[in-house]
Amino acid sequence: MSAAGPDRGTPASAAGPRAANDEIRELAAQEDRLVLDAFSNEDAWQLGSLLVELARERGAAVTVGIRRGAQQLFHCALAGTSADNDAWIARKSAVVDRYGESSYLVGARFRAKGRTFEDSSRLDPDRYAAHGGAFPVRLRGTGVVGVVAVSGLPQADDHALVVEGLERFLAAG
């Protein structure tokens, strides 16, 4: 997603029902796999710093936000981003809060049914965006306790960056 406009990128669900179901299975498997045992303020700092490092390596202009409950634990806006990216993070994170799943997975479920989230969710699109880039911080035995989000790339790339960051964070832990 660019700082100036909505997420770009063609999700697999646009390719047909089989691709949509494959995409949903893969996204759900990511959420099953990327579960933490604990999540402290220091963990948020380390994960956020890792995401910023990955973005810088790629020359990606992104904003990264991590929160636990209502508390913002990490925020970094790299050069080339704007306040629009903060708004996208808030809207995508609201989807995670409401559905307990990544914003990309929620959008994929709607697309797989031939509908759009904006038209079918009955939620205010100024407050909710089912575009890729916000992922639940899920604790084993507890459930969703927060959100890690990225904004600035096409939605599939925002999502992929968060997933890669979580994978690396878990591998290092």
PDB file of all heavy atoms in Angstrom, residues 38-60:
ATOM      1  N   ALA A  38       5.209 -15.883  24.991  1.00  0.00           N
ATOM      2  CA  ALA A  38       5.104 -14.672  25.810  1.00  0.00           C
ATOM      3  C   ALA A  38       5.292 -13.471  24.891  1.00  0.00           C
ATOM      4  O   ALA A  38       5.796 -13.613  23.775  1.00  0.00           O
ATOM      5  CB  ALA A  38       6.183 -14.675  26.888  1.00  0.00           C
ATOM      6  N   PHE A  39       4.883 -12.302  25.367  1.00  0.00           N
ATOM      7  CA  PHE A  39       5.067 -11.092  24.570  1.00  0.00           C
ATOM      8  C   PHE A  39       5.211  -9.889  25.493  1.00  0.00           C
ATOM      9  O   PHE A  39       4.235  -9.329  25.985  1.00  0.00           O
ATOM     10  CB  PHE A  39       3.902 -10.883  23.601  1.00  0.00           C
ATOM     11  CG  PHE A  39       4.194  -9.854  22.550  1.00  0.00           C
ATOM     12  CD1 PHE A  39       5.182 -10.071  21.602  1.00  0.00           C
ATOM     13  CD2 PHE A  39       3.506  -8.658  22.522  1.00  0.00           C
ATOM     14  CE1 PHE A  39       5.475  -9.124  20.630  1.00  0.00           C
ATOM     15  CE2 PHE A  39       3.773  -7.697  21.557  1.00  0.00           C
ATOM     16  CZ  PHE A  39       4.764  -7.929  20.612  1.00  0.00           C
ATOM     17  N   SER A  40       6.449  -9.513  25.724  1.00  0.00           N
ATOM     18  CA  SER A  40       6.771  -8.399  26.620  1.00  0.00           C
ATOM     19  C   SER A  40       7.016  -7.123  25.813  1.00  0.00           C
ATOM     20  O   SER A  40       7.099  -7.157  24.586  1.00  0.00           O
ATOM     21  CB  SER A  40       8.037  -8.739  27.422  1.00  0.00           C
ATOM     22  OG  SER A  40       9.159  -8.802  26.534  1.00  0.00           O
ATOM     23  N   ASN A  41       7.192  -6.027  26.521  1.00  0.00           N
ATOM     24  CA  ASN A  41       7.547  -4.768  25.868  1.00  0.00           C
ATOM     25  C   ASN A  41       8.867  -4.919  25.123  1.00  0.00           C
ATOM     26  O   ASN A  41       9.033  -4.397  24.019  1.00  0.00           O
ATOM     27  CB  ASN A  41       7.639  -3.645  26.893  1.00  0.00           C
ATOM     28  CG  ASN A  41       6.303  -3.283  27.489  1.00  0.00           C
ATOM     29  OD1 ASN A  41       5.370  -4.089  27.494  1.00  0.00           O
ATOM     30  ND2 ASN A  41       6.195  -2.087  28.020  1.00  0.00           N
ATOM     31  N   GLU A  42       9.810  -5.629  25.726  1.00  0.00           N
ATOM     32  CA  GLU A  42      11.105  -5.876  25.074  1.00  0.00           C
ATOM     33  C   GLU A  42      10.918  -6.715  23.806  1.00  0.00           C
ATOM     34  O   GLU A  42      11.585  -6.463  22.797  1.00  0.00           O
ATOM     35  CB  GLU A  42      12.076  -6.570  26.043  1.00  0.00           C
ATOM     36  CG  GLU A  42      13.429  -6.878  25.448  1.00  0.00           C
ATOM     37  CD  GLU A  42      14.236  -5.647  25.029  1.00  0.00           C
ATOM     38  OE1 GLU A  42      14.007  -4.546  25.564  1.00  0.00           O
ATOM     39  OE2 GLU A  42      15.092  -5.795  24.132  1.00  0.00           O
ATOM     40  N   ASP A  43      10.036  -7.704  23.853  1.00  0.00           N
ATOM     41  CA  ASP A  43       9.744  -8.514  22.656  1.00  0.00           C
ATOM     42  C   ASP A  43       9.203  -7.626  21.538  1.00  0.00           C
ATOM     43  O   ASP A  43       9.581  -7.783  20.376  1.00  0.00           O
ATOM     44  CB  ASP A  43       8.734  -9.619  22.966  1.00  0.00           C
ATOM     45  CG  ASP A  43       9.277 -10.689  23.886  1.00  0.00           C
ATOM     46  OD1 ASP A  43      10.506 -10.943  23.866  1.00  0.00           O
ATOM     47  OD2 ASP A  43       8.467 -11.270  24.640  1.00  0.00           O
ATOM     48  N   ALA A  44       8.324  -6.706  21.890  1.00  0.00           N
ATOM     49  CA  ALA A  44       7.768  -5.787  20.892  1.00  0.00           C
ATOM     50  C   ALA A  44       8.873  -4.942  20.273  1.00  0.00           C
ATOM     51  O   ALA A  44       8.893  -4.724  19.053  1.00  0.00           O
ATOM     52  CB  ALA A  44       6.697  -4.898  21.518  1.00  0.00           C
ATOM     53  N   TRP A  45       9.795  -4.466  21.099  1.00  0.00           N
ATOM     54  CA  TRP A  45      10.918  -3.672  20.596  1.00  0.00           C
ATOM     55  C   TRP A  45      11.773  -4.505  19.641  1.00  0.00           C
ATOM     56  O   TRP A  45      12.141  -4.046  18.566  1.00  0.00           O
ATOM     57  CB  TRP A  45      11.759  -3.150  21.757  1.00  0.00           C
ATOM     58  CG  TRP A  45      12.986  -2.439  21.280  1.00  0.00           C
ATOM     59  CD1 TRP A  45      14.254  -2.933  21.211  1.00  0.00           C
ATOM     60  CD2 TRP A  45      13.047  -1.116  20.751  1.00  0.00           C
ATOM     61  NE1 TRP A  45      15.103  -1.994  20.679  1.00  0.00           N
ATOM     62  CE2 TRP A  45      14.384  -0.866  20.388  1.00  0.00           C
ATOM     63  CE3 TRP A  45      12.099  -0.115  20.550  1.00  0.00           C
ATOM     64  CZ2 TRP A  45      14.800   0.342  19.840  1.00  0.00           C
ATOM     65  CZ3 TRP A  45      12.518   1.088  20.011  1.00  0.00           C
ATOM     66  CH2 TRP A  45      13.849   1.308  19.658  1.00  0.00           C
ATOM     67  N   GLN A  46      12.086  -5.731  20.033  1.00  0.00           N
ATOM     68  CA  GLN A  46      12.929  -6.586  19.193  1.00  0.00           C
ATOM     69  C   GLN A  46      12.237  -6.928  17.876  1.00  0.00           C
ATOM     70  O   GLN A  46      12.858  -6.850  16.804  1.00  0.00           O
ATOM     71  CB  GLN A  46      13.314  -7.853  19.947  1.00  0.00           C
ATOM     72  CG  GLN A  46      14.292  -7.589  21.064  1.00  0.00           C
ATOM     73  CD  GLN A  46      14.628  -8.819  21.878  1.00  0.00           C
ATOM     74  OE1 GLN A  46      14.231  -9.934  21.543  1.00  0.00           O
ATOM     75  NE2 GLN A  46      15.357  -8.627  22.964  1.00  0.00           N
ATOM     76  N   LEU A  47      10.957  -7.285  17.921  1.00  0.00           N
ATOM     77  CA  LEU A  47      10.211  -7.612  16.707  1.00  0.00           C
ATOM     78  C   LEU A  47      10.086  -6.384  15.818  1.00  0.00           C
ATOM     79  O   LEU A  47      10.313  -6.456  14.599  1.00  0.00           O
ATOM     80  CB  LEU A  47       8.826  -8.169  17.056  1.00  0.00           C
ATOM     81  CG  LEU A  47       7.893  -8.453  15.887  1.00  0.00           C
ATOM     82  CD1 LEU A  47       8.506  -9.441  14.892  1.00  0.00           C
ATOM     83  CD2 LEU A  47       6.544  -8.958  16.411  1.00  0.00           C
ATOM     84  N   GLY A  48       9.742  -5.257  16.392  1.00  0.00           N
ATOM     85  CA  GLY A  48       9.618  -4.029  15.604  1.00  0.00           C
ATOM     86  C   GLY A  48      10.935  -3.632  14.971  1.00  0.00           C
ATOM     87  O   GLY A  48      10.987  -3.264  13.790  1.00  0.00           O
ATOM     88  N   SER A  49      12.012  -3.725  15.725  1.00  0.00           N
ATOM     89  CA  SER A  49      13.332  -3.389  15.196  1.00  0.00           C
ATOM     90  C   SER A  49      13.719  -4.339  14.067  1.00  0.00           C
ATOM     91  O   SER A  49      14.316  -3.913  13.064  1.00  0.00           O
ATOM     92  CB  SER A  49      14.379  -3.439  16.318  1.00  0.00           C
ATOM     93  OG  SER A  49      14.078  -2.469  17.298  1.00  0.00           O
ATOM     94  N   LEU A  50      13.378  -5.609  14.197  1.00  0.00           N
ATOM     95  CA  LEU A  50      13.638  -6.588  13.147  1.00  0.00           C
ATOM     96  C   LEU A  50      12.867  -6.232  11.874  1.00  0.00           C
ATOM     97  O   LEU A  50      13.419  -6.265  10.760  1.00  0.00           O
ATOM     98  CB  LEU A  50      13.252  -7.991  13.630  1.00  0.00           C
ATOM     99  CG  LEU A  50      13.310  -9.124  12.618  1.00  0.00           C
ATOM    100  CD1 LEU A  50      14.716  -9.326  12.086  1.00  0.00           C
ATOM    101  CD2 LEU A  50      12.797 -10.406  13.262  1.00  0.00           C
ATOM    102  N   LEU A  51      11.610  -5.860  12.016  1.00  0.00           N
ATOM    103  CA  LEU A  51      10.808  -5.475  10.852  1.00  0.00           C
ATOM    104  C   LEU A  51      11.379  -4.227  10.178  1.00  0.00           C
ATOM    105  O   LEU A  51      11.430  -4.151   8.947  1.00  0.00           O
ATOM    106  CB  LEU A  51       9.344  -5.253  11.250  1.00  0.00           C
ATOM    107  CG  LEU A  51       8.569  -6.529  11.562  1.00  0.00           C
ATOM    108  CD1 LEU A  51       7.280  -6.211  12.293  1.00  0.00           C
ATOM    109  CD2 LEU A  51       8.295  -7.302  10.284  1.00  0.00           C
ATOM    110  N   VAL A  52      11.811  -3.260  10.968  1.00  0.00           N
ATOM    111  CA  VAL A  52      12.412  -2.048  10.411  1.00  0.00           C
ATOM    112  C   VAL A  52      13.701  -2.405   9.672  1.00  0.00           C
ATOM    113  O   VAL A  52      13.954  -1.912   8.561  1.00  0.00           O
ATOM    114  CB  VAL A  52      12.664  -0.996  11.523  1.00  0.00           C
ATOM    115  CG1 VAL A  52      13.539   0.142  11.017  1.00  0.00           C
ATOM    116  CG2 VAL A  52      11.330  -0.465  12.048  1.00  0.00           C
ATOM    117  N   GLU A  53      14.510  -3.281  10.253  1.00  0.00           N
ATOM    118  CA  GLU A  53      15.754  -3.709   9.605  1.00  0.00           C
ATOM    119  C   GLU A  53      15.457  -4.401   8.263  1.00  0.00           C
ATOM    120  O   GLU A  53      16.109  -4.116   7.257  1.00  0.00           O
ATOM    121  CB  GLU A  53      16.511  -4.662  10.533  1.00  0.00           C
ATOM    122  CG  GLU A  53      17.808  -5.185   9.963  1.00  0.00           C
ATOM    123  CD  GLU A  53      18.471  -6.170  10.920  1.00  0.00           C
ATOM    124  OE1 GLU A  53      18.368  -5.995  12.147  1.00  0.00           O
ATOM    125  OE2 GLU A  53      19.097  -7.117  10.416  1.00  0.00           O
ATOM    126  N   LEU A  54      14.475  -5.296   8.240  1.00  0.00           N
ATOM    127  CA  LEU A  54      14.104  -5.972   6.988  1.00  0.00           C
ATOM    128  C   LEU A  54      13.649  -4.957   5.941  1.00  0.00           C
ATOM    129  O   LEU A  54      14.013  -5.062   4.769  1.00  0.00           O
ATOM    130  CB  LEU A  54      13.001  -7.006   7.240  1.00  0.00           C
ATOM    131  CG  LEU A  54      13.390  -8.254   8.027  1.00  0.00           C
ATOM    132  CD1 LEU A  54      12.152  -9.068   8.380  1.00  0.00           C
ATOM    133  CD2 LEU A  54      14.387  -9.087   7.243  1.00  0.00           C
ATOM    134  N   ALA A  55      12.845  -3.998   6.358  1.00  0.00           N
ATOM    135  CA  ALA A  55      12.354  -2.977   5.428  1.00  0.00           C
ATOM    136  C   ALA A  55      13.510  -2.141   4.884  1.00  0.00           C
ATOM    137  O   ALA A  55      13.572  -1.872   3.676  1.00  0.00           O
ATOM    138  CB  ALA A  55      11.326  -2.083   6.117  1.00  0.00           C
ATOM    139  N   ARG A  56      14.409  -1.737   5.747  1.00  0.00           N
ATOM    140  CA  ARG A  56      15.565  -0.933   5.303  1.00  0.00           C
ATOM    141  C   ARG A  56      16.438  -1.705   4.324  1.00  0.00           C
ATOM    142  O   ARG A  56      16.921  -1.145   3.346  1.00  0.00           O
ATOM    143  CB  ARG A  56      16.386  -0.479   6.498  1.00  0.00           C
ATOM    144  CG  ARG A  56      15.726   0.653   7.245  1.00  0.00           C
ATOM    145  CD  ARG A  56      16.599   1.162   8.369  1.00  0.00           C
ATOM    146  NE  ARG A  56      16.019   2.381   8.926  1.00  0.00           N
ATOM    147  CZ  ARG A  56      16.123   2.745  10.189  1.00  0.00           C
ATOM    148  NH1 ARG A  56      16.817   1.996  11.039  1.00  0.00           N
ATOM    149  NH2 ARG A  56      15.574   3.850  10.600  1.00  0.00           N
ATOM    150  N   GLU A  57      16.665  -2.999   4.586  1.00  0.00           N
ATOM    151  CA  GLU A  57      17.456  -3.833   3.677  1.00  0.00           C
ATOM    152  C   GLU A  57      16.856  -3.843   2.273  1.00  0.00           C
ATOM    153  O   GLU A  57      17.573  -3.960   1.292  1.00  0.00           O
ATOM    154  CB  GLU A  57      17.533  -5.273   4.189  1.00  0.00           C
ATOM    155  CG  GLU A  57      18.432  -5.462   5.381  1.00  0.00           C
ATOM    156  CD  GLU A  57      18.334  -6.863   5.980  1.00  0.00           C
ATOM    157  OE1 GLU A  57      17.572  -7.713   5.444  1.00  0.00           O
ATOM    158  OE2 GLU A  57      19.004  -7.105   7.002  1.00  0.00           O
ATOM    159  N   ARG A  58      15.533  -3.738   2.203  1.00  0.00           N
ATOM    160  CA  ARG A  58      14.823  -3.804   0.928  1.00  0.00           C
ATOM    161  C   ARG A  58      14.521  -2.423   0.350  1.00  0.00           C
ATOM    162  O   ARG A  58      13.910  -2.325  -0.715  1.00  0.00           O
ATOM    163  CB  ARG A  58      13.519  -4.576   1.119  1.00  0.00           C
ATOM    164  CG  ARG A  58      13.819  -6.000   1.492  1.00  0.00           C
ATOM    165  CD  ARG A  58      12.665  -6.728   2.053  1.00  0.00           C
ATOM    166  NE  ARG A  58      13.190  -8.011   2.537  1.00  0.00           N
ATOM    167  CZ  ARG A  58      12.506  -8.877   3.193  1.00  0.00           C
ATOM    168  NH1 ARG A  58      11.249  -8.646   3.471  1.00  0.00           N
ATOM    169  NH2 ARG A  58      13.063  -9.993   3.595  1.00  0.00           N
ATOM    170  N   GLY A  59      14.887  -1.394   1.055  1.00  0.00           N
ATOM    171  CA  GLY A  59      14.581  -0.047   0.604  1.00  0.00           C
ATOM    172  C   GLY A  59      13.087   0.232   0.606  1.00  0.00           C
ATOM    173  O   GLY A  59      12.593   1.025  -0.191  1.00  0.00           O
ATOM    174  N   ALA A  60      12.377  -0.402   1.522  1.00  0.00           N
ATOM    175  CA  ALA A  60      10.918  -0.282   1.590  1.00  0.00           C
ATOM    176  C   ALA A  60      10.511   0.846   2.534  1.00  0.00           C
ATOM    177  O   ALA A  60      10.933   0.875   3.693  1.00  0.00           O
ATOM    178  CB  ALA A  60      10.302  -1.599   2.058  1.00  0.00           C
TER     179      ALA A  60
END
